């Protein structure tokens, strides 16, 4: 493990490099975590990441540093590091990817006497494949339209029965040219058609007057590509796969098996959705934004027979990792585990005050 402090991986030199490499690129060619990598307000995040990597073996720290800022890696890596940080806050030492037979659980929890006391595997709930690319494509059009000096708000009309395809870079450029001409025209229009898309001028529902955003620029509120039903059912399916993979190792070692679970910000998933499944509560949670036309394909809901999940006996419990900095955790124990978790894990987490106010 690293014991000597190292030069900050994500310090001022890193920020300068990111600004130089990506600052002049169009938004669709930047990582979605670009703001986190460069803005001053996210300095506490970058400092926290540096601290977490300094606690890993050098090879693992270098691998994290090389891959962390990629769109497909950012939240899974952050949730994995946050799970390790939460276990340390509870007074444990943790070992990253210790070899148990032929498997390497993400974290091996070690007690004060150096004896392993639990195995922890991490699971991150991510958006559907292709979501990041679609969001980037829409964001590229948003940025192009901001260059039009007409303070209006636009949305995109879409088929409510299916998601709206995002425009490619060439199409976005043509749309921006068409809308510039139309918006700067003396003719007053509320509907604009370009390249197969229909854009709608938004009005204040109270007054009927055209919405005027602050500043002299056109604002497009695009489809979010996040709209839909939010459910923990895909997560519990993933938890059961983790249990199936690691149950034999945990049983042979005589250790409790814990799955730490977190979610990408874009999924909208929260611990309450897991609680609903654990308690068999009949709720339906849907997330959507102002610019969304398609919400979700029809879904059948039986309020008298809501889904309920029972943890498998080999699972000691679920450690929920919140995706808000500084990533507090919530413990959800298995009421009837084959091997219970250490009692300290069941205690309510107390985030240090210097962390709980950072980055807010």
């Amino acid at each position: 493990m690293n014991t000597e402090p190292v030069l900050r991986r994500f310090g001022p030199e890193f920020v300068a490099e990111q600004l130089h490499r990506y600052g002049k690129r169009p938004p669709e060619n930047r990582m979605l975590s670009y703001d986190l990598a460069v803005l001053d307000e996210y300095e506490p995040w970058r400092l926290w990441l540096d601290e977490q990597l300094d606690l890993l073996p050098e090879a693992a720290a270098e691998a994290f540093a090389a891959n962390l800022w990629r769109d497909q890696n950012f939240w899974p890596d952050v949730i994995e590091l946050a799970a390790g940080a939460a276990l340390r806050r509870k007074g444990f030492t943790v070992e990253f990817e210790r070899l148990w037979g032929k498997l390497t659980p993400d974290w091996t929890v070690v007690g004060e006497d150096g004896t392993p006391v639990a195995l922890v595997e991490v699971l991150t709930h991510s958006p559907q494949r292709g979501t990041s690319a679609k969001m980037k494509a829409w964001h590229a059009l948003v940025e192009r339209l901001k260059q039009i000096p007409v303070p209006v708000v636009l949305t995109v009309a879409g088929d409510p029965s299916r998601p709206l395809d995002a425009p490619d870079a060439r199409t976005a450029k043509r749309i921006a040219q068409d809308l510039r001409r139309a918006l700067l025209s003396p003719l007053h229009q509320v509907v604009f058609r370009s390249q197969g898309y229909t854009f709608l001028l938004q009005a204040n529902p109270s007054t009927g007057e055209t919405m005027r955003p602050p500043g002299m620029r056109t604002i497009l509120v695009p489809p979010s590509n996040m709209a839909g039903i939010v459910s923990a059912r895909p997560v519990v399916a993933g938890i059961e796969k983790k249990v199936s993979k690691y149950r034999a190792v945990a049983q042979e070692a005589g250790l409790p098996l814990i799955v730490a679970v977190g979610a990408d910000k874009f999924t909208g998933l929260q611990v309450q959705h897991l609680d609903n499944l654990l308690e068999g509560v009949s709720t339906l949670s849907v997330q959507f934004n102002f610019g969304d036309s398609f919400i979700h394909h029809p879904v059948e809901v039986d309020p008298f027979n809501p889904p309920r999940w029972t943890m498998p006996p080999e699972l000691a419990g679920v450690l929920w990792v919140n995706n808000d900095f500084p990533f507090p955790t919530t413990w959800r124990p298995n009421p009837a585990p084959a091997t219970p978790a250490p009692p300290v894990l069941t205690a309510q987490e107390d985030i240090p005050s210097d962390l709980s106010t950072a980055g807010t």
Side-chain angles (χ1 to χ4, degrees), residues 27-202:
E28 69 271 23
N29 290 338
R30 296 175 184 165
M31 54 202 176
L32 291 175
S33 56
Y34 176 76
D35 287 351
L36 292 166
V38 301
L39 296 185
D40 290 343
E41 63 189 279
Y42 294 110
E43 173 68 12
W45 287 59
R46 298 191 291 272
L47 179 60
W48 179 87
L49 287 168
D50 275 325
E51 292 171 347
Q52 302 313 308
L53 296 194
D54 283 348
L55 295 169
L56 296 178
E58 186 62 29
E62 290 301 321
F64 268 98
N67 296 313
L68 173 68
W69 298 99
R70 297 176 181 174
D71 289 337
Q72 68 271 26
N73 291 93
F74 184 79
W75 279 111
D77 283 359
V78 166
I79 296 298
E80 188 168 357
L81 293 171
L87 295 166
R88 294 189 192 96
R89 287 197 299 267
K90 293 178 181 293
F92 295 104
T93 298
V94 291
E95 296 181 16
F96 180 69
E97 292 190 345
R98 175 172 172 171
L99 184 63
W100 291 86
K102 296 182 179 180
L103 297 176
T104 55
D106 292 316
W107 299 106
T108 295
V109 186
V110 180
E112 292 183 356
D113 61 356
T115 303
V117 297
L119 303 180
V120 179
E121 182 66 9
V122 183
L123 173 67
T124 302
H125 181 51
S126 300
Q128 293 183 353
R129 187 181 299 275
T131 298
S132 296
K134 293 176 183 177
M135 292 176 66
K136 283 177 156 183
W138 282 115
H139 186 58
L141 179 58
V142 168
E143 292 298 316
R144 286 185 180 276
L145 296 187
K146 282 182 181 178
Q147 306 307 312
I148 303 175
V150 181
V152 294
V153 177
L154 301 175
T155 58
V156 191
D159 186 341
S161 66
R162 68 175 186 85
L164 188 63
D165 294 331
D168 58 28
R170 179 178 295 181
T171 302
K173 182 177 180 180
R174 291 173 176 171
I175 289 172
Q177 293 170 342
D178 292 343
L179 291 185
R180 173 180 286 273
R181 285 192 292 267
L183 288 169
L184 292 175
S185 166
L187 299 176
H188 178 71
Q189 303 178 61
V190 296
V191 178
F192 308 89
R193 293 181 174 84
S194 173
Q195 308 300 314
Y197 293 87
T198 300
F199 298 86
L200 306 177
L201 189 70
Q202 296 301 298

Side-chain angles (χ1 to χ4, degrees), residues 323-340:
N323 57 21
D324 289 322
F325 186 84
F327 317 112
T329 57
T330 304
W331 174 245
R332 291 295 180 259
N334 187 341
T339 306

Side-chain angles (χ1 to χ4, degrees), residues 229-343:
I229 294 174
V230 181
S231 171
R233 278 191 273 187
V235 169
V236 300
I239 293 173
E240 291 182 345
K241 288 182 179 179
K242 294 284 189 182
V243 172
S244 178
K245 181 176 180 179
Y246 289 97
R247 62 158 55 96
V249 170
Q251 289 171 346
E252 183 176 347
L255 297 176
L257 176 60
I258 296 164
V259 177
V261 178
D264 186 302
K265 283 272 191 181
F266 294 136
T267 66
L269 191 69
Q270 301 176 12
V271 68
Q272 185 59 51
H273 298 105
L274 175 64
D275 289 342
N276 290 341
L277 277 186
L278 289 170
E279 299 166 8
V281 175
S282 180
T283 61
L284 183 66
S285 179
V286 180
Q287 68 169 347
F288 58 91
N289 285 345
F290 182 72
D292 290 319
S293 54
F294 168 78
I295 305 301
H296 203 275
H297 294 296
V299 59
E300 293 185 5
V301 178
D302 183 356
F304 301 105
N305 187 29
R308 185 171 192 145
W309 182 57
T310 300
M311 295 189 191
E314 300 88 354
L315 178 66
V318 173
L319 185 67
W320 181 271
V321 182
N322 194 293
N323 57 21
D324 289 322
F325 186 84
F327 317 112
T329 57
T330 304
W331 174 245
R332 291 295 180 259
N334 187 341
T339 306

Side-chain angles (χ1 to χ4, degrees), residues 19-31:
L19 288 168
H20 175 74
R21 181 179 297 181
Y22 300 110
K24 295 182 180 180
R25 291 189 182 186
E28 69 271 23
N29 290 338
R30 296 175 184 165
M31 54 202 176

